[in-house]
Amino acid sequence: MLLEQKAALVTGGSRGIGRAISVEFAKNGADVAFFYAGNEDAARAAESEITALGRRCLALRCDVSDEAAVKEASAKVLEAFGKLDILVNNAGVVRDGLVLSMKEADYDAVLDTNLKGAFHLIRQFYSPMMKKRSGRILNITSVSGLAGNAGQANYAAAKAGLIGLTKSVAKELAARGITCNAVAPGFIETDMTAALPEKTREAAVGAIPMKRMGAPEEVAALCVFLASDAASYITGEVIRVDGGLCM
Ligand code: NDP
């Protein structure tokens, strides 16, 4: 098992990609804490799945855009596990619309959760990871952050910002044995993409060289590797999991 005796925290771990990452981490031997926004049923289901694998699980309701809440919940994670080896900034939301009609509140909400949320989390675990001179930070960005996407200016800006954040943190922490990488999924089957209109979905699948959407587990498999000791010399990297969409 690649993550034996590791302690991990996944934001947005109750559904979709974050849940798959949490479960795959647990299957690989890690104890897992996750944050969620408010869907209690999903959180309890994810928690049960992780504990059924024989791992410890801490499910905490915590809005990543709220720095005070992040501080409080992160302290609980450190108290429960005594350390944190792996941080995955996965929590994300969409509020799509064309620039001309986009409400400022929708722009801010997406930046606050998808970009500033990661900044809040990294700040909480920066010193604890530095002190133990090891750690793995993964930021879930998107192909939208690499290529842009009409109707997603807020989301693409946040995801592109996450890449700059990843590379800067990677440079700040590299000498301390801490790596920071970004994973850029394409179209993955989750609640987020289930909300897409059928026509948009068909067009998206048509543009993917592999002609299918990805499964959350296909993103999680890369995260397990990047979080493991096997990925010790990889930092500041952005890796796509997109069936060839953005090559
Ligand atoms: P989902 O909508 O399926 O799940 C989102 C998760 O994030 C839920 O667990 C949700 O909690 C949590 N969450 C949302 N807002 C907050 C918040 N403010 N604080 C804490 N937790 C929050 O999303 P996906 O699994 O599809 O996406 C996961 C990540 O992957 C996102 O960053 C997304 O941008 C990115 N991504 C997704 C792609 C896709 O095709 N699906 C493609 C590229 C990137 P709750 O259940 O309580 O609501």
Side-chain angles (χ1 to χ4, degrees):
M1 287 197 287
L2 283 170
L3 305 179
E4 211 146 13
Q5 308 208 335
K6 304 283 187 195
L9 168 60
V10 181
T11 67
S14 55
R15 290 189 285 123
I17 294 171
R19 178 168 173 169
I21 294 170
S22 301
V23 169
E24 291 305 315
F25 278 6
K27 281 184 186 165
N28 278 278
D31 288 331
V32 181
F34 68 79
F35 290 175
Y36 62 100
N39 187 330
E40 294 295 336
D41 289 347
R44 295 289 84 79
E47 189 180 27
S48 304
E49 198 176 351
I50 292 163
T51 51
L53 291 162
R55 309 312 321 169
R56 293 172 67 197
C57 180
L58 192 63
L60 298 168
R61 183 173 180 157
C62 172
D63 177 356
V64 296
S65 69
D66 178 345
E67 187 164 27
V70 168
K71 194 172 176 186
E72 201 181 316
S74 300
K76 286 183 185 162
V77 174
L78 283 174
E79 198 185 309
F81 294 159
K83 62 168 185 170
L84 192 80
D85 301 298
I86 305 158
L87 167 64
V88 183
N89 287 305
N90 162 82
V93 292
V94 286
R95 301 273 191 282
D96 294 353
L98 297 174
V99 168
L100 209 55
S101 53
M102 186 176 285
K103 293 192 178 74
E104 192 174 341
D106 288 336
Y107 186 86
D108 289 345
V110 169
L111 269 287
D112 285 351
T113 298
N114 298 29
L115 180 56
K116 209 169 178 191
F119 172 69
H120 291 152
L121 266 296
I122 290 167
R123 270 151 75 91
Q124 290 308 313
F125 294 102
Y126 197 103
S127 296
M129 282 186 177
M130 272 213 322
K131 278 184 196 138
K132 70 184 187 68
R133 299 186 89 81
S134 69
R136 294 278 183 270
I137 300 170
L138 304 185
N139 296 321
I140 308 301
T141 177
S142 164
V143 292
S144 293
L146 291 169
N149 197 17
Q152 284 199 314
N154 50 358
Y155 184 78
K159 293 301 190 181
L162 209 44
I163 293 172
L165 179 67
T166 299
K167 293 182 180 182
S168 303
V169 170
K171 285 184 176 175
E172 285 187 23
L173 295 177
R176 304 286 182 140
I178 299 158
T179 68
C180 182
N181 291 291
V183 171
F187 285 91
I188 308 298
E189 297 272 12
T190 68
D191 294 342
M192 190 180 269
T193 45
L196 289 174
E198 195 48 41
K199 267 196 164 169
T200 313
R201 215 181 148 81
E202 273 172 24
V205 171
I208 300 168
M210 285 190 172
K211 300 295 173 208
R212 67 170 178 87
M213 292 178 71
E217 292 71 23
E218 291 176 296
V219 180
L222 173 64
C223 294
V224 169
F225 169 68
L226 288 174
S228 76
D229 293 343
S232 51
Y233 204 53
I234 302 172
T235 196
E237 191 55 86
V238 185
I239 304 180
R240 293 178 295 107
V241 185
D242 67 351
L245 178 64
C246 227
M247 70 176 134

